[in-house]
Every structure is written in C-alpha cells, then in structure tokens.
Amino acid sequence: MLKKRIIPSLLLKDSRMVKTIRFDQYRDTGHPITAARIYDAQRVDELVVLDIFASRENRGIFSDIVAHMSEECFMPLCVGGGIRTIEDIRMLLGRGADKVAINTAAVECDGLIRNASQAFGSSTIVVSIDVRRKENDRYEVFIRGGTEATGLDPVFWAKKAEKLGAGEIFLTSIDRDGTMSGLDIPLIHAVVAAVTIPVIASGGVGTLDDFRIGMEDGGASAVSAASIFHFTDQSPIKVRKYLVDRGVNVRA
Amino acid sequence: MIAVIDYGMGNLRSIAKALEYAGGEVAVTRDPEVMRKADRFVLPGVGAFGNGMDHLRSFGLIPALEEEILHKKKPFWGICLGMQLLAEKSEEFGEHRGLGWIPAEVKKFSFPGGANLKIPHVGWNTVTFVQEHPVTKGMKNVEYYFVHSYYVVPKEKSLVAGTCTYGVDFAACIARDNLFATQFHPEKSQEAGLKMLRNFCDWRPQITS
C-alpha cells in the first residue's frame, strides 16, 4: 500500500538554510548540506529544497547545493525557486533533482507547465502554490515569495495546474508558515478534493498530531514541515513512530 | 565499468552517485566506444516516453545498445522510464513505439470507479518479489520509492519478478536473462535500493534463451 509521506523542507537564502514566519522574519537554521545528511540518516521519505529568494531576485536557484545534496542523499529531492524555463528544469534534473517545484513562473509563463510535463513527464513537475486567507474567509494565491497577489483562487488554480500537466501540488499556507499553529485544514481539504493529483500540505505543523491531522482530516498525500524539526526536539523518527502507533499509513 | 546511458532524460547524477556508493565504477555516456568497453548497463530515465524514444534515436544509441545488451548479453538495468522503454509501445501523450526488447505494453493508471487514488503514483510502496533473482537477493517485502503515472504490462507472466499494488497489481520489477528493470527508483530508496545496486554490481546473468 502506498504510504503517506513525511517531508522536511529546507529553505535556502544566500546558500544558508533559514526558516521564516509568514514568509518573513528569517532565522538562520544552519547549513543545508548538513541538514540533508541528517535527514537522510533519519530515513525521511523525501526532501523539498526551496530557494525562497530566487524569484524575488530574478535569478536561478543555487544548483551547486542541489548537486552536493544529491551526492550524499539517496532519497527523492524536490527542488524549487526561480525556475522559469525548460532549460532551468533540465539543468536541475541533470544536477540531481528528481522533481522540480514551480511557483511564480507557473502563473506567469504561459505554457511552461504543459511543455515541462510533456518534456519531463507529469510526475516530475510539482506546482507550488502559496496561499493567503483573505478577510472574507476566501483564499488567494500569491507569487514571488508571497509578495505579489494574483487574484487566483487556490482551488481553481490547482485544478488548472493539474489540467496543464502538473504531477503534484505543494500547497503552503502563508498565514501558518513558521507559526507552528497547525495546518490550514479547510484549505488543504478543499484542494485535495478538487484534484486527482497528490497534494503535499505545508505551513503550520507544530505538533506530532498535526501530521496525522493533515494526512487523515486534510487528506494530504504528504505533510511537509520545517520549524518543528528546527526549533523543537521532535525529529522525523519521532513523527514516524507517533503515526505508526496510531495506525497512520506511513513507512515504519 | 557500468555505463549509465545519457540520453538527456533524467536524474543521471543521482544514479551514478548511488552506483559509485554501491561499489561500481561508472561512466555516464552516450559514446558507443565507451559502451563497447562497459561490462554492464543502466538505462535511467525521468520523463515522457515519446521524448525518451526520440532522444535514444536522435543520439543514435539504439544500434550500440542492442549490440551490447541484446547480442552480447551484458547485464542491464532499466529504471522507471528506462523500464518502460523496453516495452513494445506506450500510450503516453499519443501512441509511441518502444525498444520492443520485451513483450509488453505501457498503460496509464486509471481508476474510473473512483478508487480515490491520486495519479501519479508518488511515494513509497511495498514490493513483493515473486521470483528468486540475484539482484533482489536478500530482499523481502520492502518499500521502494515510485514516481510514475504509467506502468508496464508484460504479456508473459514469467517476466514479472516483483509486484506492487496501487489500485491494480502491476509489475514493479521484471527480469529475463540479462535484462532487469524496476519501475521504482533504487537510487532514491535509501538502504533498500543501495543493497540492490550492490547486488547488480556483482550480478553474472545465466543466459537460458
């Protein structure tokens, strides 16, 4: 049976690892290669590496870090940040990424997702969607590291991304990012129910039970987290044990 | 030396590093001269079937691969798309012909009854090995990492060396003579995958046909 995934995320800023709160207030959390090495030893299911300033600074991702990570980690690596062209994707896959997460350019560059999924296969193309809750309880998709509103509704955009050929959705609540106050379950549930591709839920995990809630109540195929691993004494090993003990379908 | 075929499709660095870690000497190549000297082959692959075949053709790789693998019977491992390309045809983005090295077709996962299963099949799933094989030696029911929307349907059951279930039972691993292939990614499956790669480096196929 297919297992639900536990996916630590690593955010890069100037080739250091950071953690944000609501996409702001950066805290240095160490060296990304060291972190990747530790996660690999802890048998995490996958790693997501996002260069969160690439789009804001109109540059490509730190591909050296990706290459270095892939030399040491024999697990799936999803890489995102600043990807705008088919050539960007080809370069990252060549340097050891297994999947790419595309956010800003998925909204702005017509045809990119369709062309990329035809060139590299849908299962390689992850569309990353950053979402803010608006005052009237509606949601809106933001791009460029959460700095630019798009007017898009996340459910509408996720369905469109699926139609264009995306193989997965990486869904992040900007409001919950770094707050450790729990995942935005209504948002996750709405997107999961709207698409037939897997959804990775992110933003807000603060307790071991948040993983279970995201997987069982939200219906997410995977839950991604960072703060809980950086700032508490919880580890992916403890998460896995907690979930296995409660009958959640994860790798033992 | 293990030739990892570079046809512009995929995670070449990952598989090369994993093979080296497993003890192999690796050349990532599309040079027929290097392929002649290689004693085993890996065809990796991330991407779409039609593109994969186009690239194999346009780089002129097929005659050399057929010479070394089909005629000289050097040990071969196809991974993910590299497994699917062995089939006769695929329905990914229109119908495409494959290498046709094994009697099989490639089909897309489809759950019309609303099995509530997401496509692609992404993540860790259990593989049951149904044949004894030197490459899978020591492996029982183990989880491996998959990421695919299409799967290989062999026309002969004896090709199936390992199965996995995702809505349907499908061939996660096929084997015949010097040909071995997995839908899952050994290079992304941590210790369970590295162990198979080590087995592959030592594999001396018995040719029966």
Side-chain angles (χ1 to χ4, degrees), chain A residues 19-67:
Chain A
K19 185 64 202 90
T20 52
I21 300 174
R22 297 191 184 90
F23 282 28
D24 205 355
Q25 301 178 36
Y26 306 91
R27 282 167 79 175
D28 189 298
T29 51
H31 196 272
I33 307 291
T34 312
R37 217 178 268 150
I38 292 167
Y39 287 134
D40 192 45
Q42 294 173 330
R43 291 176 63 243
V44 304
D45 296 319
E46 191 168 329
L47 271 189
V48 170
V49 184
L50 301 172
D51 182 344
I52 51 175
F53 268 82
S55 273
R56 273 178 266 188
E57 295 172 357
N58 281 318
R59 58 165 175 78
I61 192 171
F62 301 110
S63 62
D64 294 356
I65 293 179
V66 175

Side-chain angles (χ1 to χ4, degrees), chain A residues 1-3 5 44-45 71 74-76 94-96 98-99 118-120 123-124 167 192 195-198 251, chain B residues 10-11 13-14 17-18 21 46-48 51 118-122 124-125 143 145 147 166 187-190 194:
Chain A
M1 200 163 157
L2 181 67
K3 309 295 183 206
R5 287 168 283 156
V44 304
D45 296 319
E71 281 173 22
F74 302 112
M75 66 173 150
R95 305 215 78 181
D98 300 289
K99 299 188 273 196
Q118 287 192 9
F120 305 107
S123 43
T124 308
V192 168
V195 296
T196 64
I197 54 179
R251 278 205 301 162
Chain B
N11 56 351
R13 194 180 178 98
S14 309
K17 290 292 163 196
Y21 190 87
V46 170
N51 263 19
K118 301 292 191 184
I119 304 170
H121 174 223
V122 186
W124 297 76
N125 203 336
E143 285 135 13
Y145 182 76
V147 50
Y166 191 62
E187 78 282 14
K188 293 290 156 185
S189 296
Q190 294 162 346
L194 293 171

Side-chain angles (χ1 to χ4, degrees), chain A residues 137-162:
Chain A
D137 255 7
R138 298 176 76 99
Y139 291 98
E140 183 174 2
V141 176
F142 278 69
I143 55 172
R144 236 174 286 284
T147 58
E148 192 175 315
T150 63
L152 288 167
D153 167 69
V155 167
F156 168 86
W157 173 228
K159 281 164 96 159
K160 186 163 175 209
E162 172 179 25

Side-chain angles (χ1 to χ4, degrees), chain A residues 224-251:
Chain A
S224 182
S227 298
I228 187 171
F229 300 135
H230 294 315
F231 306 129
T232 78
D233 64 353
Q234 304 298 3
S235 70
I237 294 170
K238 289 184 185 172
V239 178
R240 206 156 56 223
K241 179 167 189 327
Y242 178 89
L243 294 174
V244 167
D245 287 349
R246 279 152 191 81
V248 183
N249 182 31
V250 294
R251 278 205 301 162

Side-chain angles (χ1 to χ4, degrees), chain A residues 102-208:
Chain A
I102 306 176
N103 189 324
T104 302
V107 174
E108 290 184 337
C109 305
D110 243 12
L112 178 63
I113 300 302
R114 175 166 283 138
N115 293 339
S117 61
Q118 287 192 9
F120 305 107
S122 279
S123 43
T124 308
I125 307 301
V126 179
V127 168
S128 165
I129 303 180
D130 295 333
V131 180
R132 265 185 224 280
R133 189 192 278 259
K134 297 198 293 191
E135 279 163 11
N136 51 5
D137 255 7
R138 298 176 76 99
Y139 291 98
E140 183 174 2
V141 176
F142 278 69
I143 55 172
R144 236 174 286 284
T147 58
E148 192 175 315
T150 63
L152 288 167
D153 167 69
V155 167
F156 168 86
W157 173 228
K159 281 164 96 159
K160 186 163 175 209
E162 172 179 25
K163 209 184 238 168
L164 291 171
E168 272 182 292
I169 302 286
F170 188 87
L171 180 67
T172 302
S173 161
I174 299 173
D175 313 294
R176 302 292 175 96
D177 172 61
T179 64
M180 298 178 67
S181 58
L183 293 158
D184 187 334
I185 295 299
L187 170 67
I188 295 160
H189 192 262
V191 173
V192 168
V195 296
T196 64
I197 54 179
V199 175
I200 304 166
S202 142
V205 170
T207 66
L208 297 181

Side-chain angles (χ1 to χ4, degrees), chain B:
Chain B
M1 176 258 292
I2 305 166
V4 172
I5 302 304
D6 175 9
Y7 60 121
M9 299 296 288
N11 56 351
L12 302 173
R13 194 180 178 98
S14 309
I15 181 65
K17 290 292 163 196
L19 282 164
E20 281 170 6
Y21 190 87
E25 187 198 329
V26 180
V28 176
T29 187
R30 61 175 68 133
D31 177 354
E33 198 48 47
V34 176
M35 288 160 66
R36 255 190 291 283
K37 289 184 195 141
D39 47 30
R40 50 196 76 226
F41 285 79
V42 171
L43 185 64
V46 170
F49 192 97
N51 263 19
M53 282 308 294
D54 287 348
H55 286 202
L56 284 178
R57 275 191 213 103
S58 63
F59 291 130
L61 291 168
I62 296 175
L65 286 172
E66 294 196 333
E67 173 62 25
E68 301 303 318
I69 295 155
L70 292 188
H71 298 129
K72 294 190 193 158
K73 305 273 184 195
K74 292 179 179 173
F76 170 90
W77 188 340
I79 298 170
C80 195
L81 178 64
M83 167 176 177
Q84 297 179 3
L85 291 172
L86 304 184
E88 291 157 326
K89 61 178 182 177
S90 166
E91 58 181 31
E92 184 170 1
F93 295 116
E95 195 169 299
H96 296 277
R97 286 186 43 180
L99 289 167
W101 293 1
I102 56 165
E105 286 179 23
V106 180
K107 283 190 161 23
K108 185 167 190 181
F109 281 118
S110 164
F111 307 117
N116 203 21
L117 293 173
K118 301 292 191 184
I119 304 170
H121 174 223
V122 186
W124 297 76
N125 203 336
T126 313
V127 174
T128 307
F129 293 105
V130 294
Q131 253 186 51
E132 297 249 325
H133 193 282
V135 178
T136 63
K137 201 173 147 212
M139 317 304 297
K140 274 245 163 69
N141 297 336
V142 194
E143 285 135 13
Y144 289 93
Y145 182 76
F146 290 83
V147 50
H148 62 125
S149 304
Y150 294 78
Y151 62 100
V152 173
V153 183
K155 290 179 182 159
E156 295 166 21
K157 213 180 159 200
S158 62
L159 279 163
V160 179
T163 62
C164 180
T165 305
Y166 191 62
V168 291
D169 289 340
F170 69 92
C173 176
I174 54 176
R176 173 164 292 171
D177 296 337
N178 61 318
L179 300 181
F180 183 82
T182 57
Q183 183 58 63
F184 57 83
H185 289 269
E187 78 282 14
K188 293 290 156 185
S189 296
Q190 294 162 346
E191 190 46 41
L194 293 171
K195 187 164 181 197
M196 281 179 78
L197 291 171
R198 277 194 287 274
N199 288 344
F200 177 71
C201 291
D202 298 332
W203 180 31
R204 302 268 177 275
Q206 306 278 312
I207 308 301
T208 54
S209 59

